[in-house]
């Protein structure tokens, strides 16, 4: 009859996975066999051992055969042992071993106690698996039969030879595998094990040293050290293991990798090639349990970028989830958006040599305009049709067509605050960022709570959904008192504006590449500036000498500038096309500028109609100018179609005349009285005399047009302008008073 226990054993925690599996899955089998020896049954048969072991493990246990000997020493040999998987879990048995050899002490056995003197496990195989919900197959629930029987002493010595441990997470392509496991367990509880981590054709040597496994099994603590030495990962973990209620492993970790990308791919993760050459390291304190890992100021570095993590990495869900704070030195947005990291910061704009703008001499535009006229022409229609066609045409790829890498958003979830000393986006000066972010199943919702842009600041919201076949993004950005020059330089490649600006942008788009995303953007943009200047041009000088300036072509000169008091630009964005709504207006004490048109983000092209007016007097009707072409090198030319066919010039002159008659303040900046009667000649010619070197073919075209039916489509002001370009007619000689001689 079995000896009655005074205190039934308490149900203990899982502890370390390997130890628990060995104790519950294998030792339980040996103990059950030992009990049958101590109290011989009617028949010692294999199925009795299986039933007792199954009750101890809470799983179905099968044994191919069992050998039991009494002399000279009690011994049990079990062959081909298998412990079934948890219910509903597919795959190989959770435990399998070729054989288990156990020697028991005879004297305790005769008194109803089972003490294992030595245990040898040959070629054990432990197969751990975790489903999509984070539940592992290593959770055992021993049956009630495990609570009965004589007292049992735990192992006094054990040995594992040529073991294998595998771990398969839900959705993993290949399970993690540790093979060639050899370990020893001493009577003092000291446990040492070595093995080889083999995965994706490469290996790493690992070793585990546990100071007192018996203490851990009894719910106490023990020092533990884990060492890894492989091609992709080197380092060690020094800490304390506990199998008490907390079931924790805590301590310090120091790990390094020559390539984070190679390490991730070796472990089976699908990561971008952009991280292939980035070294990485993990250093700091941690506390790990079955449900997750608590990081207490742990430093994680990738390349030169470092992150300071304080929070919890939850591991028992569908995906790892980090909750807490992350402080990083630098975030490279260029790499995330599929671009390339910028090189060293360029010299000051004054030293740049590639700041060229295509400028068309005035005669070129006039020549083309005049040649295009005939009796059936509809002035202005053709240019508008051409502009509409250009706006609707599918642009050539101007942005990167490389897929935007968003895999970083899909491997884990996040809920916390990210702070960064620097954000890298082109050459913008972005610092001191604070982002409140939530990432769930590949969908990011980030609130930009703080960002310094030079002397200004920014706030906003960014949403990215990478879970869809075509990723999408939404952004709302508010910039306050930020320098306009670096922003304009980043967009257009030229420092065309300088001054303090306020910007409001709301936009959304979708696409697999930068090019796709630029073609889909919808939203609004509003730019406001005060007391700034246009860089590269002295607009007042250009307008005051408009014939010479445009005849010889405009030249961009970074040292020239045009001051203004205010700038206001508003745009609607449809499929990447920014259209004036109403447009760009510049006012100041040097010039007034109005611009209407569109900017194509997909094609990086600009198409703007601009009217430039000098203030204060001498004044004249606004000079119409066209800017078109690639925004990094646009073409600037006189808008002859507007000069010849538009009534805006005469309307402006009439308005100035009405203001003078009414005594309005507009009279102070209106054109002289002569403009009302002859606005073109009296206005522009007052600013600068017409050039003397008008090409002969231009004169011929002007005469042809004025003498043809096409002249009817030109406004009176346009005709007057063309006539001023012709040489003055020579006076006819007076008639002679003498009577011709009669032949």
């Amino acid at each position: 009859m079995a000896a009655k226990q005074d205190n039934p054993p308490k149900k203990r925690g899982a502890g370390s996975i390997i130890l628990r599996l060995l104790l519950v899955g294998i030792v339980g089998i040996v103990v059950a066999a030992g009990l049958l020896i101590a109290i011989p049954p009617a028949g010692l048969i294999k199925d009795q051992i299986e039933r007792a072991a199954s009750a101890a493990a809470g799983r179905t246990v099968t044994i191919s055969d069992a050998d039991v000997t009494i002399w000279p020493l009690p011994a049990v040999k079990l062959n081909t042992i298998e412990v079934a998987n948890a219910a509903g879990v597919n795959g190989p048995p959770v435990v399998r071993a070729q054989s288990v050899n156990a020697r028991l002490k005879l004297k305790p056995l005769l008194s109803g106690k089972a003490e294992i003197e030595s245990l040898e496990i040959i070629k054990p195989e432990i197969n751990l698996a975790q489903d999509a919900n984070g539940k592992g197959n290593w959770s055992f629930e021993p049956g009630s039969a495990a609570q009965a029987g004589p007292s049992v002493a735990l192992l006094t010595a054990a040995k594992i030879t040529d073991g294998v441990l595998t771990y398969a997470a839900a959705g993993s392509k290949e399970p993690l595998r540790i093979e060639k496991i050899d370990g020893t367990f001493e009577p003092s509880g000291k446990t040492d094990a070595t093995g080889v981590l083999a995965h994706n054709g490469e290996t790493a040597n690992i070793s585990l040293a546990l100071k007192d496994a018996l203490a851990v099994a009894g719910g106490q603590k023990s020092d533990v050290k884990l060492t890894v030495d492989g091609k992709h990962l080197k380092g060690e973990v020094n800490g304390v293991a506990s199998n008490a209620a907390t079931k924790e492993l805590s301590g310090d970790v120091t790990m390094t990798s020559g390539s984070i990308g190679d390490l991730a791919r070796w472990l089976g993760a699908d990561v971008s090639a952009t991280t292939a050459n980035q070294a990485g390291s993990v250093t700091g304190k941690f506390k790990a349990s079955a449900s997750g890992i608590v990081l207490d100021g742990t430093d994680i570095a990738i390349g030169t970028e470092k992150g300071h993590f304080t929070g919890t990495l939850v591991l028992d869900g569908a995906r790892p989830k980090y909750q807490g704070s992350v402080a990083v030195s630098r975030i490279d947005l260029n790499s995330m958006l599929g671009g390339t990291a910028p090189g060293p910061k360029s010299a000051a704009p004054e030293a740049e040599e590639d700041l060229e703008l295509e400028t068309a001499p005035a005669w070129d535009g006039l020549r083309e305009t005049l040649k295009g006229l005939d009796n059936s022409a509809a002035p202005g229609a053709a240019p508008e049709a051409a502009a509409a066609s250009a706006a609707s045409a599918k642009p050539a790829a101007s942005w990167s067509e490389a897929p935007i890498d968003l895999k970083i958003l899909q491997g884990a979830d996040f809920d916390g605050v990210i702070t960064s000393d620097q954000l890298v986006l082109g050459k913008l000066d972005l610092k001191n960022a604070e982002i409140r972010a939530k990432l769930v199943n590949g969908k990011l919702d980030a609130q930009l709570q703080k960002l310094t842009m030079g002397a200004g600041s920014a706030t906003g919201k960014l949403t990215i959904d990478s879970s869809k076949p075509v990723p999408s993004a939404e952004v709302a950005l508010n910039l306050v008192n930020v320098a306009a020059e670096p922003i304009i330089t980043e967009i257009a490649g030229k420092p065309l504006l300088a001054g303090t600006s306020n910007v409001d942008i709301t936009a959304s788009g979708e696409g697999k590449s930068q090019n796709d995303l630029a073609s889909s953007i919808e939203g609004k943009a509003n730019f406001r500036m005060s007391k700034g200047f246009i860089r590269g041009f002295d607009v007042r000088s250009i307008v005051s000498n408009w014939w010479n300036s445009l005849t010889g072509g405009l030249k961009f000169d970074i040292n020239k500038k045009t001051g203004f008091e205010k700038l206001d630009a508003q745009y609607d964005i449809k499929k990447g096309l920014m259209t004036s709504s109403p447009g760009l207006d510049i006012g100041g004490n040097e010039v007034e500028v109005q611009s209407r048109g569109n900017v194509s983000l997909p094609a990086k092209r600009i198409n703007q109609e601009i009217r430039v007016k000098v203030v204060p007097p001498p004044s004249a009707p606004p000079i119409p100018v066209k800017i078109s072409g690639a925004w990094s090198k646009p073409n600037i030319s006189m808008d002859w179609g507007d000069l010849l066919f538009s009534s805006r010039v005469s309307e402006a002159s009439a308005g100035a005349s009405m203001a003078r008659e009414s005594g309005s303040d507009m009279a102070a900046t209106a054109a002289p009285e002569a403009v009302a009667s002859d606005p073109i000649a009296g206005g522009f010619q007052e600013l600068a005399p017409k050039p003397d070197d008008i090409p002969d073919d231009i004169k011929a075209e002007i005469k042809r047009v004025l003498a043809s039916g096409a002249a009817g489509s030109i406004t009176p002001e346009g005709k007057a302008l063309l006539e001023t370009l012709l040489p003055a007619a020579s006076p006819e000689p007076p008639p002679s008073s003498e009577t011709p001689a009669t032949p």
Side-chain angles (χ1 to χ4, degrees):
M1 184 174 180
K4 184 177 180 182
Q5 293 182 331
D6 295 334
N7 296 306
K10 296 181 180 179
K11 182 178 179 181
R12 295 193 173 109
S16 65
I17 296 173
I18 299 175
L19 182 61
R20 178 62 178 168
L21 291 174
L22 292 176
L23 291 178
V24 175
I26 296 177
V27 176
I29 298 172
V30 175
V31 169
L35 295 179
L36 293 174
I37 296 173
I39 309 172
L44 185 59
I45 56 176
K46 177 178 67 66
D47 59 340
Q48 289 177 300
I49 301 177
E50 290 178 336
R51 283 196 295 270
S54 297
R59 302 277 183 88
T60 300
V61 177
T62 59
I63 304 171
S64 64
D65 60 79
D67 294 328
V68 179
T69 59
I70 299 297
W71 189 262
L73 291 174
V76 177
K77 182 179 182 181
L78 308 176
N79 297 314
T80 315
I81 309 123
E82 291 187 355
V83 180
N85 234 322
V89 179
N90 297 322
V94 65
V95 176
R96 177 190 287 137
Q98 178 178 301
S99 62
V100 175
N101 299 320
R103 295 179 63 181
L104 291 81
K105 294 182 179 180
L106 180 58
K107 185 176 180 180
L109 197 62
L110 296 176
S111 60
K113 297 180 180 180
E115 291 188 12
I116 302 173
E117 187 173 44
S118 66
L119 179 69
E120 183 178 13
I121 307 171
I122 309 298
K123 292 188 176 181
E125 181 180 326
I126 302 174
N127 300 296
L128 308 180
Q130 193 172 29
D131 62 20
N133 296 319
K135 184 177 180 180
N137 66 343
W138 52 83
S139 299
F140 286 86
E141 297 178 0
S144 59
Q147 307 300 321
S151 60
V152 178
L154 294 177
L155 305 178
T156 56
K159 181 180 181 180
I160 295 176
T161 303
D162 199 14
V164 174
L165 171 68
T166 66
Y167 170 73
S172 61
K173 297 179 181 179
E174 181 180 347
L176 194 65
R177 181 181 177 89
I178 302 176
E179 57 187 33
K180 298 180 181 180
I181 300 174
D182 294 321
T184 59
F185 173 84
E186 299 178 3
S188 64
K190 182 180 179 182
T191 302
D192 293 290
T194 61
V196 175
L197 177 60
H199 198 64
N200 287 329
E202 298 187 34
T203 62
N205 296 321
I206 61 173
S207 64
L208 174 69
L210 186 61
K211 185 176 181 180
D212 191 349
L214 293 176
V216 174
Q220 304 301 313
K221 296 181 179 180
S222 174
D223 293 339
V224 63
K225 180 177 181 179
L226 173 67
T227 303
V228 180
D229 185 6
K231 177 181 178 181
H232 302 300
L233 185 65
K234 296 179 183 293
E236 60 184 35
V237 175
N238 289 282
V240 176
S242 172
N243 194 32
T246 54
K247 307 180 186 69
E248 292 176 349
L249 172 63
S250 60
D252 299 305
V253 58
T254 301
M255 291 285 177
T256 61
S257 173
S259 169
I260 292 295
D262 290 346
L263 172 63
R265 282 184 285 276
W266 177 50
L267 297 178
D270 186 12
V271 297
S272 167
T274 58
T275 59
N277 297 320
Q278 296 291 308
S281 65
V282 178
T283 305
K285 295 185 178 298
F286 74 96
K287 184 181 293 184
S289 65
S291 60
I293 301 174
V294 177
L295 302 178
D296 184 10
T298 302
D299 292 322
I300 299 178
I302 299 178
T304 58
E305 316 302 332
K306 294 182 179 180
H308 193 70
F309 291 72
T310 302
T312 302
L313 180 61
V314 181
L315 300 175
D316 57 359
R319 285 174 309 283
K321 179 180 181 179
Y322 181 78
Q323 297 173 307
S325 64
V326 180
V328 297
S329 58
R330 185 172 176 267
I331 299 177
D332 189 348
L333 297 178
N334 289 320
S335 296
M336 292 180 63
L337 295 174
T340 57
K345 200 168 185 178
S346 63
E350 287 76 9
E352 296 187 16
E353 298 178 354
D354 62 343
L355 298 176
E356 296 181 5
L357 296 183
E358 294 286 348
T359 54
W363 303 133
D364 292 351
L366 179 57
R367 183 182 292 108
E368 294 301 319
T369 302
L370 294 175
K371 286 184 177 180
L373 287 175
D374 56 36
N375 292 331
S376 61
E384 292 176 4
S389 176
S392 62
K394 185 177 181 180
S398 298
W399 300 85
S400 172
E401 292 189 297
I404 298 175
D405 180 24
L406 297 176
K407 293 187 179 70
I408 192 173
L409 302 181
Q410 300 169 354
D413 292 344
F414 180 91
D415 188 358
V417 176
I418 302 173
T419 57
S420 177
D421 297 335
Q422 181 184 15
L423 298 183
V424 179
L425 182 60
K427 297 179 182 178
L428 297 180
D429 184 18
L430 308 178
K431 296 179 180 178
N432 304 321
E434 182 177 320
I435 304 169
R436 184 71 175 88
K438 189 170 185 178
L439 174 63
V440 180
N441 195 24
K443 185 174 182 179
L444 173 66
D445 185 359
Q447 301 281 345
L448 179 60
Q449 297 179 327
K450 182 176 68 174
L451 177 65
T452 299
M453 297 185 66
S457 63
T459 57
K461 178 180 179 181
L462 172 65
T463 300
I464 300 176
D465 190 351
S466 68
S467 64
K468 301 186 298 184
V470 178
S472 62
E474 296 181 12
V475 63
L477 188 62
N478 175 249
L479 311 181
V480 179
N481 296 329
V482 300
E485 184 171 335
I487 298 177
I488 296 298
T489 302
E490 190 63 33
I491 295 174
K494 305 289 184 290
L496 298 177
L497 287 175
T500 300
S501 63
N502 295 327
V503 180
D504 288 302
I505 297 175
T506 58
S508 62
E510 62 180 19
K512 295 182 179 180
S513 67
Q514 288 185 357
N515 196 61
D516 293 344
L517 185 61
S519 302
S520 69
I521 294 178
E522 304 272 331
K524 290 182 178 295
N526 189 352
F527 304 87
R528 298 176 302 279
M529 295 182 63
S530 60
K531 290 188 181 300
F533 53 87
I534 301 171
R535 298 198 67 166
F537 298 99
D538 181 350
V539 178
R540 181 177 177 83
S541 175
I542 292 171
V543 175
S544 298
N545 298 277
W546 73 290
W547 280 114
N548 294 329
S549 298
L550 291 183
T551 299
L554 293 177
K555 301 297 182 183
F556 186 96
D557 184 346
I558 192 66
N559 296 309
K560 293 182 178 181
K561 61 183 181 180
T562 301
F564 58 81
E565 297 297 319
K566 68 172 184 176
L567 180 152
D568 191 0
Q570 299 180 55
Y571 296 92
D572 286 332
I573 310 172
K574 298 291 185 182
K575 294 184 178 180
L577 188 68
M578 296 177 59
T579 304
S580 301
S581 176
L584 181 147
D585 293 303
I586 297 177
N589 55 11
E590 295 186 48
V591 295
E592 293 179 354
V593 179
Q594 292 184 328
S595 176
R596 305 292 183 267
N598 57 64
V599 177
S600 175
L601 299 178
K604 292 186 179 179
R605 297 184 68 84
I606 185 171
N607 181 18
Q608 294 283 310
E609 294 180 356
I610 301 175
R611 282 173 172 74
V612 185
K613 183 177 180 180
V614 170
V615 291
S619 185
I623 296 178
V625 177
K626 283 184 177 180
I627 299 182
S628 60
W631 69 30
S632 61
K633 199 172 184 179
N635 178 279
I636 302 178
S637 62
M638 178 76 75
D639 190 350
W640 287 101
D642 191 283
L643 282 172
L644 300 180
F645 310 123
S646 173
S647 60
R648 296 174 188 172
V649 174
S650 58
E651 290 171 356
S653 299
S657 178
M658 292 173 62
R660 283 191 296 273
E661 292 174 1
S662 64
S664 169
D665 292 339
M666 291 177 59
T669 57
E673 188 67 32
V675 173
S677 60
D678 189 359
I680 298 296
F684 294 148
Q685 298 297 355
E686 183 175 311
L687 296 178
K690 71 177 182 181
D692 295 326
D693 55 346
I694 300 176
D696 291 337
D697 67 317
I698 295 293
K699 299 175 185 177
E701 284 295 322
I702 292 174
K703 292 179 180 179
R704 179 189 66 81
V705 168
L706 293 178
S708 70
S713 61
I714 303 176
T715 63
E717 295 78 16
K719 291 179 183 178
L721 173 60
L722 292 178
E723 289 171 350
T724 63
L725 301 179
L726 295 176
S730 300
E732 296 182 3
S736 176
S737 59
E738 296 181 359
T739 303
T742 302

